[in-house]
């Protein structure tokens, strides 16, 4: 983003970038409208991989739109190295996140039926997800306590309000994971939860697919897209928000969230997030090529693992017992990413002090 001396800084989203965003939006909306009108297919309908001609066109169109969006949103690399004080934490988190994606791909390839017993309610992955969320709450709470004397306003509100919103959102997600209505107060699933396969009494069982779409999309946009799309120059009004925006390297740890698709492979928004994740992964890998070898290796591993694991899921996912197993693993990774975010926020507040 270059400017002529003495002039105002150029907008991070000029006419060309806005044009690419508009083009990608028009393409995606047209694809969804055609799918609804011709195939009578609901936007969030889950089903087996679609091998028809249109089923093959759908991901290709999503790929084109993803390339346009990443080209428009991805901000130029900062004028300093990506390896800073928080880099060891984020680099360290990237490896277990990538390892979890690799283990899921290996399980689908080698022992697909075992996954079902691992991810069910009350089984090891479900318990681990709740434990990680509790750790995330502790980290977010510690960060809020450490930042309690900061009088800076965030969008006109006290910083404590931003911390409280993060803690409250994480707490509500934890309650949903614990099936609080069913296990805490004995509120059993009834007619209002018709079609509830898991027989759980949670708020999200009123509209499971819509809740999942908001939950998964928010996690991807906040922890993958936002770190690489946040411009280095923002208005004074938005500048305090930047202290809550994770750094560029954070996306490396969160990128596995874009994968783990099988039963949602035909859902256009999820396809879009996946291909955006792949493009972002390769752009990050190229930026990390100038960094120490450990960071370079992490970038390459994530960039290669994301598309390769998806091929295993698409071609081998039908061998799983139910098909929703990968969604449960994704929810565990979201909990891990929120924990990493809380630890990053805590470390950042410590460095700021």
């Amino acid at each position: 983003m270059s400017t002529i001396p003495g002039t105002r800084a150029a907008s991070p989203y000029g006419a060309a970038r806005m044009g690419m965003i508009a083009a990608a939006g028009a393409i995606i909306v047209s694809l969804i409208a055609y799918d609804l009108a011709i195939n009578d297919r609901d936007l969030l309908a889950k089903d087996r991989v679609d091998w028809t001609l249109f089923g093959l066109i759908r991901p290709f169109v999503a790929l084109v739109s993803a390339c346009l969006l990443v080209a428009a949103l991805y901000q130029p690399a900062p004028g300093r190295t990506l390896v800073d004080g928080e880099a060891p934490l984020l680099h360290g988190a990237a490896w277990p996140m990538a390892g979890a994606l690799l283990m899921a791909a290996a399980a689908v390839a080698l022992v697909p039926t075992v996954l079902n017993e691992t991810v069910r309610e009350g089984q090891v992955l479900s318990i681990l997800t709740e434990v990680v969320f509790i750790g995330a709450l502790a980290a977010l709470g510690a960060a809020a306590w450490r930042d309690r004397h900061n009088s800076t306003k965030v969008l006109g509100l006290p910083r404590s309000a931003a911390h409280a919103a993060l803690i409250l959102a994480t707490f509500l997600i934890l309650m949903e994971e614990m099936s609080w209505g069913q296990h805490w107060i004995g509120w059993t699933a009834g007619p209002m939860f018709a079609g509830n396969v898991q027989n759980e009494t949670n708020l999200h069982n009123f509209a499971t697919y819509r809740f999942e779409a908001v939950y998964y999309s928010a996690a991807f946009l906040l922890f993958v897209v936002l770190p690489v799309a946040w411009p280095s120059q923002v208005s004074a009004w938005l500048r305090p928000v930047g202290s809550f925006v994770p750094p560029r390297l954070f996306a490396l740890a969160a990128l596995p969230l874009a994968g783990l698709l099988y039963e949602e492979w035909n859902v256009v928004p999820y396809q879009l997030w996946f291909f955006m994740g792949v493009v972002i992964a390769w752009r990050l890998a190229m930026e990390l090529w100038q960094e120490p070898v450990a960071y370079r290796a992490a970038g390459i591993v994530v960039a290669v693992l994301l598309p390769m694991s998806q091929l295993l899921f698409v071609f081998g996912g039908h061998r799983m017992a139910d098909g929703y197993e990968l969604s449960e693993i994704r929810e565990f990774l979201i909990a891990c990413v929120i924990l990493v975010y809380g630890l990053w926020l805590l470390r950042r507040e410590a460095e700021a002090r």
Side-chain angles (χ1 to χ4, degrees):
M1 183 174 64
S2 60
T3 58
I4 301 173
T7 63
R8 294 180 60 187
S11 170
Y13 297 105
R17 289 176 180 261
M18 293 304 297
M20 287 188 284
I21 294 174
I27 292 171
I28 288 296
V29 170
S30 300
L31 177 66
I32 294 172
Y34 181 89
D35 212 1
L36 176 63
I38 303 302
N39 300 324
D40 192 26
R41 187 176 182 280
D42 184 74
L43 173 63
L44 301 177
K46 298 180 181 181
D47 45 39
R48 299 283 181 172
V49 176
D50 185 359
W51 295 110
T52 66
L53 177 60
F54 187 76
L56 299 177
I57 292 174
R58 190 187 290 117
F60 175 76
V61 174
L63 171 61
V64 172
S65 300
C67 291
L68 287 172
L69 285 175
V70 174
L73 296 174
Y74 204 99
Q75 293 298 308
R80 57 182 176 81
T81 177
L82 297 183
V83 178
D84 54 16
E86 292 91 19
L89 168 66
L90 304 180
H91 172 256
W95 285 108
M97 291 288 288
L101 181 58
L102 178 61
M103 289 178 63
V108 170
L110 302 175
V111 285
T113 56
V114 172
L115 281 176
N116 185 264
E117 295 301 322
T118 305
V119 304
R120 281 185 177 276
E121 183 78 13
Q123 297 303 316
V124 59
L125 193 71
S126 175
I127 296 173
L128 277 176
T129 301
E130 296 169 7
V131 170
V132 172
F133 268 122
I134 293 172
L137 280 173
L140 290 170
W145 177 257
R146 183 164 284 172
D147 196 37
R148 66 190 184 279
H149 297 305
N150 193 330
S151 59
T152 306
K153 299 286 185 179
V154 179
L155 301 180
L157 298 173
R159 288 179 65 87
S160 58
H163 285 291
L166 292 171
I167 293 172
L168 178 61
T170 304
F171 177 75
L172 290 176
I173 296 171
L174 172 62
M175 292 299 98
E176 290 294 286
E177 289 292 334
M178 287 183 170
S179 300
W180 60 274
Q182 180 177 356
H183 297 154
W184 289 25
I185 61 178
W187 183 27
T188 57
M192 70 181 69
F193 293 94
N196 178 6
V197 177
Q198 294 178 308
N199 195 35
E200 295 175 351
T201 308
N202 298 320
L203 292 177
H204 72 261
N205 284 128
F206 283 106
T208 303
Y209 290 0
R210 293 185 181 91
F211 178 89
E212 288 177 348
V214 172
Y215 184 33
Y216 299 158
S217 298
F220 175 75
L221 294 173
L222 291 176
F223 296 127
V224 176
V225 176
L226 185 61
V228 300
W230 187 261
S232 57
Q233 301 291 333
V234 295
S235 65
W237 190 66
L238 283 177
R239 198 168 297 131
V241 179
S243 61
F244 289 93
V245 175
R248 202 180 195 86
L249 195 59
F250 195 98
L252 185 67
L255 272 166
L257 298 181
L260 296 163
L261 298 176
Y262 172 64
E263 60 173 347
E264 303 108 330
W265 176 244
N266 299 322
V267 180
V268 174
Y270 295 150
Q271 285 187 340
L272 182 63
W273 303 153
F274 168 72
F275 286 117
M276 286 183 68
V278 172
V279 179
I280 290 173
W282 280 103
R283 291 199 62 166
L284 268 178
M286 288 188 289
E287 288 185 20
L288 290 170
W289 196 252
Q290 306 301 324
E291 304 294 349
V293 64
Y295 293 87
R296 190 187 317 167
I300 292 296
V301 166
V302 172
V304 171
L305 182 59
L306 194 57
M308 293 301 294
S309 61
Q310 188 58 43
L311 288 174
L312 285 173
F313 299 148
V314 169
F315 287 99
H318 64 279
R319 299 167 59 227
M320 291 187 291
D322 287 322
Y324 72 87
E325 291 90 335
L326 297 181
S327 298
E328 299 295 327
I329 297 174
R330 186 195 302 118
E331 291 179 6
F332 169 68
L333 292 185
I334 291 176
C336 292
V337 169
I338 295 175
L339 171 61
V340 174
Y341 178 76
L343 293 174
W344 167 78
L345 202 60
L346 178 61
R347 183 181 178 89
R348 189 186 182 284
E349 297 300 343
E351 291 184 350
R353 291 186 65 185

